[in-house]
Amino acid sequence: MCSDVAIAADHLRKVYQLYTRPVDRLKQIFTPSRSRYYDEFVAIDDLSFQVMKGEVLGIVGRNGAGKSTLLQLVCGTLKPTSGRLVINGRIAALLELGAGFNPEFTGRENVYLSGALMGMARRDVDALLDEIIDFAGVRPFIDQPVKCYSSGMYVRLAFSVATSVDPDILIIDEALSVGDGDFARSSFDRIMKMRDSGKTILFCSHALYQVESLCSHVIWMESGKVMEVGRPESVVTNYQSFLDRLSLGGITDEFGQAALRPEDSTPGGASAISAHPDSETGAATMAETAPAVTRILTTRVTVGGTTGKTLPVRSGKNDVHVEVEYLAPEPENRPGVAVVVHAASGQLISSCGTWNDGYCPEVDARGYGRVTLILDRLPLLKGRYNIGVLLFCARGVFLHDEADPVATLEVSQDGVARGVVDLPHRWTRTDVDSGPDPAGKHEHPGAATAITPSRWRVETVAATQESALLDLFASCFGHNMSPATWCWKYQLTREPGSAVYEGDRLVAFAAVCRVWRGCVVEW
């Protein structure tokens, strides 16, 4: 294997044996070649890929696609049924944090135990011990059995051990960071530093925005097979389209798996924050007793000077203002603000992020900030849409807080255009030259001329009711014409004539008749 390759999988396959009864397992042991007492479940099927050193490989797929099985194969906690897997470097895994801890051991003893399981010598653990303890924030309890730890202390210590050993390959399953508050931000920053220092990372997550932001390549898995491998912007888009088809169509796949609900694919899978809408103003405001962490304080959505939770909007005519007030206690860690627009079905229509637009939100000395997004002449076509607000880190990866939805837009429109959005457009006519230029001196690619919609519409008289034509004749000449006379003069001719409409109103009729060439017009 090339020295630049960190992980190489060649036709990897993992099959589980499923037994209906315990006795069937015993029968299989004693008669392995005579009968088969089990059913096979293929978790990984013929999977091949390479990860170069320093790359960040994202793995996406629905629950049951085989993602966690693949990560366990890479970690060595599972053995492949067939195929070849080569690992070049030391691995640290954020799978089930603390799974290897002995509850009877103290925190200090479990640090040494975990280090030994990762292949570290005791002297290496000694050098990192203080850093591990301080990062986890458990120094007062480090010599107590971990069975006495709270769940937060337990996870923090496990995370600190896993990320302090300076691994060559870091594996993250589902969660980019752990804990809450300050530790969540610290753990996120540590992982980002590892990525920036050139560590190889396998990142498995349902948070597609994180996958697209962090990863250099992405594997999309479905039912143990690889559906697509490539750049994040391509694979994530195709995978999201697949999820949208499932959720909107309400279908099941060939394996009988139920379609995802729209809320299953929200960014980060995070729940809405505990913001409560003001019944009068429609603003969502956080409780004053919330701790001093980076969070959304207030959101207001305004259309035409009106702020509320449900707002009428005219497509292409009204501006929508989304005002966000936030708290960022650490001025050096300025947040990123995002606004998302979802259809009533849950499908993501569009999103705007300050980091993507090169805009840096400001905060004052107290850590308070306010920013307003203006959606000029909202181009969405008729329908109901929800507005959500998210507060990220400045990179647009780590989610601090979320309020979704904060308002609902009831969009109406002029005309009968169909779809979701009225894309900016114009119509042109190309006048093509009727023949080649013999001398070759004047080459004309064609002149583009804007078409102005006509006030008039011309149709054959066959498409017009006879009664409407007779009424037009009577209004022009002041007397009626019998249907028989009309038929003799106009309908029995070789050229039945043309009717002219202004909108839906018949205003003129022209024909070549037996007696005269004439025109009946009403302006």
Side-chain angles (χ1 to χ4, degrees), residues 464-478:
T464 303
Q465 293 184 355
E466 183 182 90
S467 59
L469 295 168
L470 293 174
D471 291 342
L472 175 66
F473 185 93
S475 63
C476 290
F477 296 102

Side-chain angles (χ1 to χ4, degrees), residues 71-152:
L71 296 184
Q72 291 183 64
L73 290 173
V74 175
C75 291
T77 56
L78 290 177
K79 295 294 182 182
T81 304
S82 62
R84 184 168 176 261
L85 181 63
V86 179
I87 308 296
N88 186 9
R90 179 171 17 183
I91 293 178
L94 305 180
L95 302 178
E96 298 179 16
L97 289 174
F101 280 6
N102 187 324
E104 301 296 333
F105 286 7
T106 66
R108 189 186 303 272
E109 291 168 340
N110 273 297
V111 170
Y112 282 101
L113 174 62
S114 297
L117 292 175
M118 289 186 229
M120 298 180 65
R122 186 178 180 87
R123 63 178 179 275
D124 296 330
V125 179
D126 288 338
L128 295 171
L129 183 60
D130 287 338
E131 178 187 341
I132 292 172
I133 295 173
D134 290 337
F135 187 82
V138 296
R139 184 169 290 278
F141 313 100
I142 192 60
D143 291 312
Q144 298 297 319
V146 296
K147 67 180 181 181
C148 302
Y149 285 11
S150 69
S151 58

Side-chain angles (χ1 to χ4, degrees), residues 352-501:
C352 305
T354 55
W355 61 91
N356 196 50
D357 297 329
Y359 179 80
C360 183
E362 298 292 337
V363 294
D364 62 16
R366 301 171 299 165
Y368 287 90
R370 180 182 297 172
V371 67
T372 299
L373 173 72
I374 303 175
L375 301 173
D376 296 309
R377 297 185 178 182
L378 190 74
L380 295 176
L381 295 176
K382 63 182 178 181
R384 173 175 290 185
Y385 304 90
N386 294 323
I387 301 292
V389 175
L390 303 98
L391 197 63
F392 286 89
C393 69
R395 300 172 184 239
V397 179
F398 177 71
L399 180 63
H400 288 292
D401 206 351
E402 177 182 8
D404 189 8
V406 296
T408 299
L409 305 180
E410 300 280 0
V411 180
S412 58
Q413 69 181 64
D414 297 328
V416 294
R418 301 290 301 278
V420 175
V421 63
D422 183 14
L423 297 176
H425 63 278
R426 60 190 178 92
W427 297 97
T428 63
R429 180 182 65 233
T430 302
D431 297 327
V432 182
D433 193 358
S434 58
D437 181 5
K441 296 180 181 179
H442 304 286
E443 297 182 358
H444 306 287
T449 305
I451 296 177
T452 302
S454 176
R455 178 181 176 184
W456 315 111
R457 175 168 54 90
V458 180
E459 294 183 356
T460 62
V461 74
T464 303
Q465 293 184 355
E466 183 182 90
S467 59
L469 295 168
L470 293 174
D471 291 342
L472 175 66
F473 185 93
S475 63
C476 290
F477 296 102
H479 63 86
N480 294 327
M481 175 182 286
S482 67
T485 304
W486 181 272
C487 180
W488 172 76
K489 293 183 66 176
Y490 301 114
Q491 292 185 342
L492 296 180
T493 62
R494 287 178 297 177
E495 301 176 14
S498 299
V500 181
Y501 290 83

